[in-house]
Amino acid sequence: MNRPLLVVLGAVTFAFMSVIFFWVFKLTMADSKKSDMVPPEKVAAFIQALLEANRNNYTDNVVVKLQKEGIDAHEHWRDERGVPLPAQYLMESGRLVALKNLKFSFRLASLTPIYVWNGANSDLERLGLAAVEKQPDSPHYGFLTKDGVRYFQAVYADRASSQACVDCHNKHPNSPRRDFKLNDVMGGIVITFPVGE
């Protein structure tokens, strides 16, 4: 066989093997990166656990203790002596987080909100709130795209965890529903964050 032909065959074989090696390496690295990634459902569960712990901690160690001192939690805490209701504490925390421009948000929402701005903001939220009302132990997940960014959204059931929650919603003049009982699903906690960036 002539030498130039061997050089060409060798070069083609080397190039072919290099391409194969590159793709095997790239796929291996991609699989390795995927295994290091936390699924969005798990991230949402972490966030939900943190929100629930903070809200319970606030209720038990701030609201209850201050009530014994004559300081109540109530809706008009900004204008009158008092502290935010636990639901307002969560919503105010969500507002402050949104100011950080992380494209991450959490809020309380309901199919029967006391205030219209606490209603569902999208079909995905409506579906999620309806789903957790029927199956409170199963969060509802979905994806949405807004302004060219893909987001993951989780909706967790928000239950009436105390009689104070029940009484407040049932007696509020704006409430469209007045038959809540302890442990009923009153709405949901909606957690939204970007994925795939």
Side-chain angles (χ1 to χ4, degrees), residues 26-92:
K26 187 171 180 169
L27 290 173
T28 302
M29 290 307 292
D31 285 345
S32 147
K33 286 180 182 177
K34 284 181 187 173
S35 67
D36 291 345
M37 293 173 57
V38 179
E41 296 84 359
K42 191 73 162 175
V43 172
F46 293 153
I47 295 167
Q48 166 61 12
L50 182 62
L51 294 175
E52 183 177 21
N54 279 337
R55 192 169 168 195
N56 290 341
N57 184 34
Y58 173 75
T59 301
D60 296 341
N61 295 308
V62 176
V63 173
V64 171
K65 287 184 178 181
L66 287 176
Q67 280 178 335
K68 292 176 184 174
E69 301 293 323
I71 301 170
D72 288 328
H74 56 82
E75 185 176 19
H76 304 289
W77 59 277
R78 288 187 194 271
D79 303 320
E80 301 170 13
R81 183 174 186 257
V83 295
L85 294 163
Q88 290 174 308
Y89 174 78
L90 185 135
M91 290 186 292
E92 180 64 7

Side-chain angles (χ1 to χ4, degrees), residues 125-138:
E125 285 188 15
R126 268 184 284 290
L127 286 170
L129 291 167
V132 298
E133 193 171 296
K134 290 177 186 164
Q135 293 183 314
D137 295 327
S138 299

